[in-house]
Amino acid sequence: MTLELFSQYLLAGVTYGIIYAIVGIGFNIIYNTTGIINFAQGEFVMLGGMTAISLTQWLPLPLAIGAAVVVVMLIGALVEILFIRWLDRPSVLRMIIITIGISILIREAALHIWGDGVRSLPYFAGNEITTIQVLGARVSPQVLWVIGVCAVMVLALSLFFKYTLQGKKMQACAANRMAATLCGISTKNMVTLSFMLSAGIGALAGCVMSPITYTQYDIGTGLAIKGFTVAILGGLGSSMAAVTAGLLLGLIEAFSVSVVPLAFQDAIAITLLLAILFFRPHGLFGSKDAAGLKEF
Amino acid sequence: MKRSFTVVIMLAASLALSVSLAVAETIKVGAILAVTGPASFLGGPEARTLEMLAEELNAKGGINGNKIELVIKDSGGNPEKAISFAKQLIEEEKVFAIIGPSTSGETLKIKQICEAGKTILLSCAAAEQIVEPVAKYVFKTPQKDSHVVHAIFENMKSAKISKVAVLASNTGFGQAGKGQIEKQAPEYGIRVLATEVYDSKATDLSAIVAKLAANKEIQAVINWSVEPAQAIVLKNIRQAGWNVPIYQSHGFGNIKYVQAAGAAAEGVIFPAGRLLIADKLADKHPQKAVLTSYTKNYEAKFKEEVSTFGGHGYDAFKILCRGIEVAGTNREKVRDAIENLKGFVGTAGVFNFSPTDHNGLGTDSVTMLTVKGGNFVEYKK
């Protein structure tokens, strides 16, 4: 393998991986406060892209993206208030079924609003064929945007959880809901906040990746599966772990095409997921003891 | 007095009703189309086209006074659903004929069901196997894969291209196209150096593009899919700085994909019917009138660009109507009429059906197009 080909695979892997990671992070936030997996996470990504694309008709690109993130955060809050909030100590299984239902609902609504066509935001810099040279390989500047946004997001999230009162409250809910309630934290509000946060992150991800992957009403499912794989692979709950696992999965997928036919690419991801679930159910970077204390 | 007046009115009304019933009957036509789901860009325009045509026809008083009632079923591109809808339409709704399905996979699943139920099927899907071997009641309106591949290889020959790479999606359409390419390549002296299959939901193909680009012998890439991936692959190839000629299948005949791929779509060569270049055809071209009127009506009604796929629905509906016009409302006679239809001008080409050819289109129905300035234009060297 020449150096050029190697770096081309490397960059392709990073592109895949960072997209998976950015979706995986969204799973983690809701998991952290509620202990459930929100299977509608992929739909938040789709909604973000779609809303921003519609808004670019009236607003300049950065404003459209900002507005789309706000709109999707509101939708996230609405989803939580309408479907989750009034449940009295629901079981994990029930929550999963509910979120799957919500994902179908959002998807069908999107089909009616935006139709079945493929849409995308314009490239933030240059156009479809603009590339820059990195390590002798070529890469679209949009990939750098995705990497940058992902990095800022992870940093902002860890600062938020570490240094702000709201962040600490959310963590308290995750650690022990009863104790948090006794301390005067409104756990229900924290859950709403976590839905808003993950919806916002999903929406932002949907916007930055839209020029690369395109946005279609049913793109959420595929992204959610990969994001879920990554979240599990890294060990649920940690954003950094999701990023590392995402990059790992992306690189494995990219380099796999050099030895096996492309058709097996997805099989590799699923095999990996199954292997992890069998041998390290708490994920590559998760702690076994911590996982043991959780319901799911 | 008042009462007897009412009675008279009612009598007259019922008489009028029974008269109209005796003269005209409503012909129920089923349609199984992928209105939603991954193949919705096929089924969507097809369903809209059928609704538009049925509305037009019924407003004009139907065929010899017989109105058409459409029963459209959304299969979502799912063969299992197509099977149950086909059974439902044949056994419960007792439809006169079925238009669709949109995809080859679905059509092949219900081919035998329609044959057993003696119901005319006018498929809007491309695969060769739909009409080969010929089934008595099964017809199809899009050009055959073999004609399309023939057109691509002829073009390659004139461009002196002999070593190609093939990319295809893992759908019925992609696999049928890949099969045809591999089958016909030796006849044209073309060598397929690499074949790769990707998932129809793929979001980025830069790794496989890197692998193919490293093989310096490859002179051109043929991509065979109908999903957004066909736009993604264009971007990935051009982003890799790889300036090979790219050939696409007739699945590229939707301007939305050109818009999605933007600058990367420039210069892509693909085979298609003449619908996409209707306004640029010479006035004396036999298809000119049909193509421009369909384009005008469709775009005015639905505010979206016409695609070849809606055209396949148009052809299916019009062929059925012609059959009914010629042979009345007897299903067997209509089938015979369609089988013997000659010189029927549709959007895909001029149809000449025969007992051995249930597609009726020749190789001249396909022309090579390319993308220039974001528009489809005829390919010229």
Side-chain angles (χ1 to χ4, degrees):
Chain A
M1 197 185 291
T2 62
L3 179 68
E4 193 200 326
L5 190 57
F6 178 83
S7 40
Q8 197 76 60
Y9 282 137
L10 189 76
L11 285 169
V14 170
T15 313
Y16 300 155
I18 213 79
I19 288 174
Y20 302 157
I22 220 167
V23 182
I25 291 172
F27 278 104
N28 279 330
I29 293 171
I30 292 185
Y31 179 79
N32 267 344
T33 46
T34 62
I36 63 159
I37 297 289
N38 170 28
F39 280 96
Q41 185 61 32
E43 270 59 39
F44 289 148
V45 176
M46 180 271 295
L47 278 179
M50 283 295 197
T51 314
I53 292 163
S54 297
L55 290 175
T56 45
Q57 291 174 11
W58 303 288
L59 298 172
L61 189 62
L63 275 181
I65 293 175
V69 170
V70 173
V71 168
V72 178
M73 281 174 87
L74 292 177
I75 295 174
L78 201 67
V79 161
E80 198 278 335
I81 290 166
L82 284 180
F83 299 103
I84 313 275
R85 199 181 184 88
W86 54 275
L87 297 174
D88 185 29
R89 262 175 288 163
S91 67
V92 168
L93 189 64
R94 192 165 163 205
M95 295 281 263
I96 288 176
I97 302 288
I98 288 175
T99 58
I100 291 177
I102 294 169
S103 83
I104 295 173
L105 198 71
I106 297 179
R107 196 155 60 235
E108 293 302 313
L111 175 64
H112 282 282
I113 298 170
W114 289 288
D116 48 33
V118 190
R119 293 147 182 261
S120 80
L121 283 174
Y123 275 74
F124 295 1
N127 65 6
E128 291 79 4
I129 52 174
T130 316
T131 50
I132 44 174
Q133 295 259 350
V134 181
L135 306 166
R138 288 154 170 273
V139 60
S140 166
Q142 192 66 27
V143 172
L144 301 186
W145 270 99
V146 180
I147 295 173
V149 166
C150 184
V152 170
M153 221 143 76
V154 171
L155 194 70
L157 275 177
S158 56
L159 290 179
F160 173 75
F161 282 121
K162 222 172 232 164
Y163 295 111
T164 67
L165 188 59
Q166 290 298 333
K168 285 185 174 161
K169 280 187 190 173
M170 283 172 79
Q171 279 195 313
C173 289
N176 189 327
R177 191 180 272 226
M178 177 70 83
T181 317
L182 288 174
C183 292
I185 298 170
S186 163
T187 47
K188 294 208 161 173
N189 284 350
M190 288 303 117
V191 174
T192 313
L193 191 63
S194 74
F195 265 82
M196 286 177 74
L197 205 56
S198 82
I201 284 172
L204 186 59
C207 293
V208 289
M209 71 171 76
S210 171
I212 300 177
T213 63
Y214 296 130
T215 311
Q216 208 178 4
Y217 77 96
D218 62 351
I219 195 176
T221 332
L223 287 173
I225 291 175
K226 289 288 169 67
F228 180 60
T229 310
V230 161
I232 295 278
L233 192 61
L236 278 167
S238 157
S239 297
M240 263 326 281
V243 173
T244 320
L247 289 175
L248 191 66
L249 181 66
L251 289 173
I252 291 174
E253 283 194 3
F255 280 97
S256 72
V257 301
S258 66
V259 275
V260 295
L262 179 63
F264 294 102
Q265 199 181 40
D266 279 343
I268 287 167
I270 301 297
T271 314
L272 206 61
L273 175 65
L274 285 176
I276 293 293
L277 287 175
F278 278 126
F279 300 112
R280 277 189 76 90
H282 46 280
L284 288 179
F285 311 106
S287 134
K288 196 172 184 180
D289 299 333
L293 291 171
K294 291 205 167 141
E295 218 182 325
F296 173 67
Chain B
M1 179 63 201
K2 203 172 186 182
R3 197 171 180 185
S4 62
F5 182 70
T6 327
V7 171
V8 169
I9 295 275
M10 277 174 68
L11 270 176
S14 63
L15 198 68
L17 200 70
S18 62
V19 166
S20 69
L21 276 180
V23 175
E25 55 185 284
T26 304
I27 301 171
K28 227 185 212 183
V29 175
I32 303 171
L33 301 168
V35 184
T36 59
S40 55
F41 62 95
L42 304 170
E46 285 160 4
R48 288 190 278 278
T49 301
L50 292 186
E51 277 163 6
M52 176 181 86
L53 292 177
E55 204 174 286
E56 261 173 35
L57 186 78
N58 290 338
K60 275 193 291 184
I63 315 165
N64 302 329
N66 303 309
K67 299 220 165 160
I68 294 274
E69 185 197 338
L70 270 183
V71 186
I72 298 182
K73 301 279 184 193
D74 176 14
S75 69
N78 179 341
E80 308 309 321
K81 277 195 190 167
I83 291 174
S84 65
F85 282 140
K87 286 182 178 156
Q88 195 187 343
L89 287 173
I90 294 170
E91 286 159 21
E92 288 168 31
E93 303 269 1
K94 303 208 183 330
V95 293
F96 187 82
I98 297 175
I99 293 175
S102 312
T103 67
S104 300
E106 293 170 274
T107 308
L108 293 171
K109 290 272 188 211
I110 69 165
K111 187 177 173 183
Q112 284 314 315
I113 298 174
C114 293
E115 195 68 358
K118 296 194 190 328
T119 303
I120 301 166
L121 181 73
L122 290 149
S123 171
C124 299
E128 201 96 8
Q129 297 96 309
I130 296 168
V131 290
E132 242 160 63
V134 171
K136 197 175 166 200
Y137 293 91
V138 181
F139 300 85
K140 78 178 203 94
T141 55
Q143 296 88 349
K144 288 189 213 169
D145 285 341
S146 59
H147 291 161
V148 177
V149 172
H150 166 87
I152 290 178
F153 283 162
E154 283 292 333
N155 185 285
M156 285 187 165
K157 239 168 81 180
S158 64
K160 302 211 176 351
I161 291 170
S162 62
K163 291 169 191 143
V164 300
V166 177
L167 281 165
S169 78
N170 63 348
T171 56
F173 181 77
Q175 296 311 298
K178 183 170 104 60
Q180 270 302 328
I181 292 171
E182 283 164 351
K183 191 174 142 202
Q184 288 195 32
E187 295 169 32
Y188 294 88
I190 286 171
R191 274 175 54 212
V192 179
L193 295 184
T195 314
E196 292 286 352
V197 176
Y198 52 80
D199 186 71
S200 57
K201 284 202 174 301
T203 50
D204 189 285
L205 295 163
S206 45
I208 194 63
V209 164
K211 184 182 178 185
L212 294 176
N215 186 343
K216 298 291 175 222
E217 276 194 76
I218 294 170
Q219 294 171 314
V221 175
I222 310 177
N223 176 61
W224 214 272
S225 60
V226 280
E227 294 82 15
Q230 62 179 336
I232 292 170
V233 77
L234 294 177
K235 289 193 304 184
N236 291 157
I237 288 179
R238 295 305 182 223
Q239 280 165 1
W242 195 21
N243 282 319
V244 282
I246 307 175
Y247 289 80
Q248 294 262 18
S249 72
H250 43 326
F252 195 64
N254 187 332
I255 198 77
K256 283 178 188 161
Y257 287 115
V258 175
Q259 288 157 357
E266 289 297 302
V268 165
I269 307 166
F270 72 104
R274 292 181 175 77
L275 179 61
L276 302 173
I277 48 163
D279 53 332
K280 298 177 193 90
L281 281 180
D283 282 337
K284 60 178 189 301
H285 193 278
Q287 284 177 271
K288 176 88 179 178
V290 169
L291 295 178
T292 45
S293 91
Y294 169 56
T295 307
K296 207 181 82 208
N297 293 345
Y298 185 91
E299 292 182 353
K301 192 168 167 76
F302 299 112
K303 308 275 176 288
E304 66 168 17
E305 284 101 343
V306 80
S307 72
T308 49
F309 313 115
H312 300 323
Y314 177 95
D315 292 346
F317 189 86
K318 289 285 180 180
I319 287 168
L320 181 66
C321 289
R322 174 64 70 82
I324 297 170
E325 210 176 291
V326 173
T329 54
N330 179 307
R331 195 190 283 163
E332 292 300 316
K333 285 186 187 150
V334 170
R335 192 211 73 87
D336 294 343
I338 294 176
E339 193 166 74
N340 293 309
L341 199 57
K342 301 269 185 252
F344 182 87
V345 181
T347 62
V350 179
F351 291 87
N352 289 301
F353 290 101
S354 75
T356 52
D357 182 4
H358 277 196
N359 176 220
L361 292 171
T363 46
D364 60 340
S365 61
V366 184
T367 182
M368 294 307 281
L369 304 185
T370 182
V371 179
K372 208 172 167 188
N375 286 309
F376 292 131
V377 293
E378 198 155 2
Y379 175 82
K380 286 192 189 76
K381 268 207 289 181

